[in-house]
Amino acid sequence: MRYCDLKQLQALVEADEWDFLNELDGRAWFGEAWKFMDRLEWTNDDVKAMLLGLTEDDFQKPVSNCAICGIPGRPFIDADQYEIHWDDEERHRSDEPRMGCISISLKIALVRDLDGSWTGLVTMHSSGNK
């Protein structure tokens, strides 16, 4: 059973109401998402396109109590794990792994705070690697 509705998450991403939950500006080391983005030479716009390309078929499982560092006073969050096969050159998802695609594993969560709801990307890395 999913923690979050994918359409709601994507609506928040589309409205730029999303952020990284394990990445902090100014620190000496990068978490998994920023390291992965650095290797692919991705920007936030590339991550946004990938998140908007997710479908229900990419869902793998719910994951409770994911460690995060992006919300003061809240060290854990429940997230949904997805795997997407992404054609980086064409900037769209593929229904299955194939030449030219990368398989990306990610966890995303719906975050509610005093200002409303937004989507948080807990982690993102090559599928099978971490």
Side-chain angles (χ1 to χ4, degrees):
M1 178 173 230
R2 291 179 171 95
Y3 287 117
C4 311
D5 176 76
L6 180 59
K7 297 289 185 209
Q8 182 182 11
L9 291 170
Q10 288 176 320
L12 290 166
V13 170
E14 181 68 38
D16 288 324
E17 293 293 326
W18 70 280
D19 206 350
F20 299 93
L21 295 181
N22 280 330
E23 307 294 344
L24 300 173
D25 285 331
R27 73 178 182 200
W29 55 275
F30 285 172
E32 295 298 326
W34 282 0
K35 284 191 286 190
F36 184 69
M37 289 171 63
D38 195 44
R39 283 193 302 271
L40 293 177
E41 298 179 353
W42 274 17
T43 66
N44 285 6
D45 288 338
D46 295 303
V47 176
K48 180 177 178 177
M50 185 267 308
L51 290 170
L52 293 174
L54 287 171
T55 70
E56 300 290 344
D57 292 335
D58 301 319
F59 176 79
Q60 288 186 314
K61 64 183 179 179
V63 182
S64 61
N65 295 319
C66 296
I68 60 171
C69 65
I71 306 174
R74 190 167 175 187
F76 301 99
I77 196 164
D78 296 331
D80 290 332
Q81 181 172 309
Y82 287 81
E83 180 182 25
I84 187 170
H85 308 294
W86 186 254
D87 186 321
D88 198 31
E89 188 173 309
E90 298 293 326
R91 293 179 48 90
H92 65 80
R93 74 178 296 283
S94 175
D95 289 332
E96 57 190 36
R98 61 180 171 78
M99 291 292 291
C101 286
I102 52 176
S103 293
I104 303 170
S105 180
L106 58 142
K107 292 183 183 80
I108 53 177
L110 179 63
V111 180
R112 289 183 180 88
D113 61 13
L114 296 176
D115 296 329
S117 295
W118 47 277
T119 297
L121 181 61
V122 177
T123 188
M124 176 178 64
H125 51 83
S126 299
S127 186
N129 296 322
K130 185 168 181 206

